[in-house]
């Protein structure tokens, strides 16, 4: 293999580029990015960057030494419009064709939108340009902010807006925010974090429309209420960026379908990060984006699946001054036990807490709020237990 093209100048795309060089690939390396920016860190966009505690230079994931070491051709500000699997070429929307032996798909995901988002004052928060626009809106003075969606992006953005002194309302269609990820007991804790910081939380209610002439002025809800709004942030999830692959021979179903080694039906094409559906599941988490490239690159260079991804799901979120960390695999019906700290009706105390999710007599997940050391110990123990279960017993 003498040439590899990475489509997506993302976190996972950058890690794939580093892995290619680390694993001895010395051929032509091309990195295609739809945004004009080199890879940057997305988690701070909804937190430190939005509140002004971090600048753009602190988001950068590469420096001059790193870029030089990759020895890559960067094609930024240009979108891939197609993949010619027969001709082994990536087609770009500027008319250029990049012929390549191997392809790493790392195009990530795009924010879902609502009808009426053409109104000024309506934002999503997925990219650096999104964050720039929202930050510019929030510094114009006191705003009535409506956040649609109580997931990670919605909750973190609501927290930042409240910290900046804005009046914030979060609208969540589910009965509780983060219900699928945490289950009802711990999702109630996240609801308490919103409310005790003065953020109005409306749950079990959807949005029927955004209204205004040129600028958004109100949000109508499915229960008949109307919320006044100067700024609206839509955080209703993201869709894998696979539209450019329509017409290719790759299987697409909520992402690019891959085996457990991030390999598609074509051994010369692998997928990593938010766009990849690996072994039947797609995870939009930082850890997946950084762990999958090593395995994907190993298999790409080998031309077949030699290694598989075996990582435990892990995510974290910073909300209202609290660090929430979760590891493991939660299912509906798991019993939740508080093993350290206290948590009342109005949320955790200053010391935080550690909770374990149990199923059939064993721990399957752990959640920590402001207990980083205890959580890391519990996470490592959970990883060891999972590893032991994955190794067949000796005959």
């Amino acid at each position: 293999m003498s040439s590899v093209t990475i489509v997506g100048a993302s976190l996972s795309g950058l890690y794939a580029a580093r892995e290619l060089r680390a694993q001895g690939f010395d051929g032509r390396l091309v990195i295609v990015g739809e945004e004009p920016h080199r890879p940057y860190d997305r988690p701070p966009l909804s937190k430190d960057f939005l509140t002004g505690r971090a600048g753009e230079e602190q988001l950068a994931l590469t420096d001059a030494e790193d870029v030089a070491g990759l020895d890559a051709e960067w094609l930024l500000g240009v979108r891939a419009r197609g993949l010619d699997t027969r001709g082994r070429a990536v087609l770009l929307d500027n008319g250029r064709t990049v012929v390549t032996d191997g392809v790493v798909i790392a195009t990530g995901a795009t924010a879902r939108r609502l009808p009426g988002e053409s109104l000024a004052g309506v934002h999503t928060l997925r990219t650096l340009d999104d964050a720039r626009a929202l930050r510019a809106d929030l510094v114009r003075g006191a705003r009535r902010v409506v956040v649609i969606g109580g997931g990670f992006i919605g909750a973190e953005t609501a927290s930042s807006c409240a910290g900046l002194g804005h009046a914030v309302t979060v609208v969540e269609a589910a009965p509780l925010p983060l219900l699928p990820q945490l289950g009802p007991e711990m999702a109630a804790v996240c609801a308490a974090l919103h409310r005790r910081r003065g953020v109005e939380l409306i749950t079990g209610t959807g949005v029927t429309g955004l209204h205004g002439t040129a600028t958004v002025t109100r949000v109508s809800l499915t229960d008949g209420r109307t919320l006044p709004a100067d700024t609206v942030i839509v955080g209703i999830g993201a869709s894998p960026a696979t539209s450019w692959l329509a017409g290719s021979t790759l299987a697409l179903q909520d992402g690019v379908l891959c085996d457990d080694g991030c390999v598609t039906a074509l051994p010369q094409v692998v997928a990593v990060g938010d766009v990849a559906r690996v072994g039947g599941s797609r995870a939009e988490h930082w850890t997946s984006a950084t762990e999958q490239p090593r395995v994907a690159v190993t298999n790409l260079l080998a031309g077949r699946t030699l290694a598989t991804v075996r990582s435990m799901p892990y995510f974290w979120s910073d909300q209202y001054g609290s660090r929430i960390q979760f590891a493991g695999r939660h299912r509906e019906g798991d019993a939740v036990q508080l093993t350290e700290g206290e948590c009342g009706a109005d949320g955790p105390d200053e010391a935080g807490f550690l909770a374990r999710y149990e199923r059939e007599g064993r721990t399957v997940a752990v959640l920590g709020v402001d207990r980083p050391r205890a959580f890391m110990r519990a996470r490592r123990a959970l990883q060891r237990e999972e590893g032991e279960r994955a190794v067949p017993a000796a005959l």
Side-chain angles (χ1 to χ4, degrees):
M1 186 171 287
S2 62
S3 62
V4 174
T5 299
I6 299 172
V7 186
S10 56
L11 175 68
S12 58
L14 174 63
Y15 271 67
R18 289 173 175 167
E19 281 296 330
L20 281 161
R21 294 310 190 202
Q23 294 188 31
F25 175 73
D26 60 1
R28 182 191 182 207
L29 177 58
V30 180
I31 302 174
V32 178
E34 182 175 357
E35 296 183 61
H37 321 290
R38 282 208 171 100
Y40 56 88
D41 204 14
R42 293 184 190 275
L45 293 180
S46 59
K47 300 182 278 287
D48 288 351
F49 180 80
L50 195 60
T51 58
R53 292 193 298 267
E56 293 184 21
E57 65 283 353
Q58 294 167 279
L59 302 178
L61 293 172
T62 59
D63 56 24
E65 183 179 355
D66 191 24
V67 171
L70 291 177
D71 188 25
E73 180 182 355
W74 295 82
L75 303 179
L76 300 177
V78 59
R79 183 178 181 274
R81 65 173 179 84
L83 178 62
D84 180 358
T85 52
R86 181 173 298 179
R88 295 199 175 190
V90 176
L91 312 178
L92 306 181
D93 64 2
N94 63 1
R96 182 172 175 178
T97 297
V98 180
V99 178
T100 186
D101 296 322
V103 175
V104 179
I105 299 171
T107 44
T110 57
R112 295 193 181 105
R113 300 180 179 275
L114 291 174
E117 285 192 20
S118 58
L119 293 171
V122 179
H123 302 267
T124 56
L125 186 53
R126 181 79 187 182
T127 69
L128 175 56
D129 291 340
D130 290 340
R132 285 171 172 170
L134 178 56
R135 190 162 77 166
D137 198 354
L138 294 174
V139 299
R140 293 169 52 195
R143 317 291 288 170
R144 296 169 298 179
V145 178
V146 175
V147 179
I148 302 172
F152 295 113
I153 293 297
E156 291 173 0
T157 307
S159 171
S160 294
C161 290
L164 290 170
H166 301 293
V168 183
T169 301
V170 176
V171 180
E172 168 58 51
L176 288 166
L178 299 173
L179 183 60
Q181 294 86 356
L182 303 181
E185 296 95 337
M186 295 297 104
V189 174
C190 292
L193 290 177
H194 286 289
R195 291 178 171 128
R196 78 180 186 184
R197 292 302 178 95
V199 171
E200 183 180 5
L201 177 62
I202 300 174
T203 59
T205 303
V207 171
T208 59
L210 309 178
H211 308 280
T213 306
T215 302
V216 69
T217 56
R218 63 191 191 282
V219 178
S220 58
L221 307 182
T222 54
D223 63 5
R225 279 183 287 176
T226 299
L227 304 176
D230 305 304
T231 300
V232 172
I233 301 156
V234 180
I236 55 174
S239 302
T242 58
S243 61
W244 68 282
L245 294 167
S248 72
T249 58
L250 298 182
L252 307 175
Q253 184 180 347
D254 185 35
V256 178
L257 294 186
C258 308
D259 65 12
D260 290 337
C262 302
V263 181
T264 70
L266 301 173
Q268 73 273 21
V269 180
V270 297
V272 292
D274 293 357
V275 74
R277 190 170 181 82
V278 179
S281 63
R282 188 175 67 85
E284 294 181 15
H285 299 306
W286 191 91
T287 46
S288 300
T290 57
E291 292 174 352
Q292 291 172 356
R294 178 175 299 177
V295 168
V297 165
T298 296
N299 297 332
L300 178 66
L301 295 178
R304 59 194 177 97
T305 301
L306 295 179
T308 57
V309 176
R310 297 180 63 180
S311 59
M312 175 179 294
Y314 166 67
F315 61 80
W316 76 91
S317 180
D318 295 315
Q319 302 175 23
Y320 304 103
S322 290
R323 166 61 62 97
I324 300 167
Q325 295 171 284
F326 182 92
R329 295 176 173 84
H330 157 259
R331 293 181 190 169
E332 185 177 352
D334 288 346
V336 182
Q337 302 291 333
L338 212 64
T339 59
E340 293 186 26
E342 300 291 337
C343 184
D346 61 344
D349 59 22
E350 291 183 1
F353 67 84
L354 183 74
R356 298 178 185 271
Y357 293 70
E358 298 179 352
R359 186 187 317 143
E360 297 177 356
R362 61 185 178 87
T363 300
V364 294
V366 291
L367 171 71
V369 177
D370 295 328
R371 288 270 174 135
R373 292 183 180 178
F375 173 82
M376 290 309 296
R377 289 195 297 268
R379 180 189 177 192
R380 285 194 294 266
L382 192 60
Q383 288 173 321
R384 285 195 300 269
E385 293 170 10
E386 185 169 281
E388 291 169 0
R389 288 195 298 270
V391 177
L395 296 177

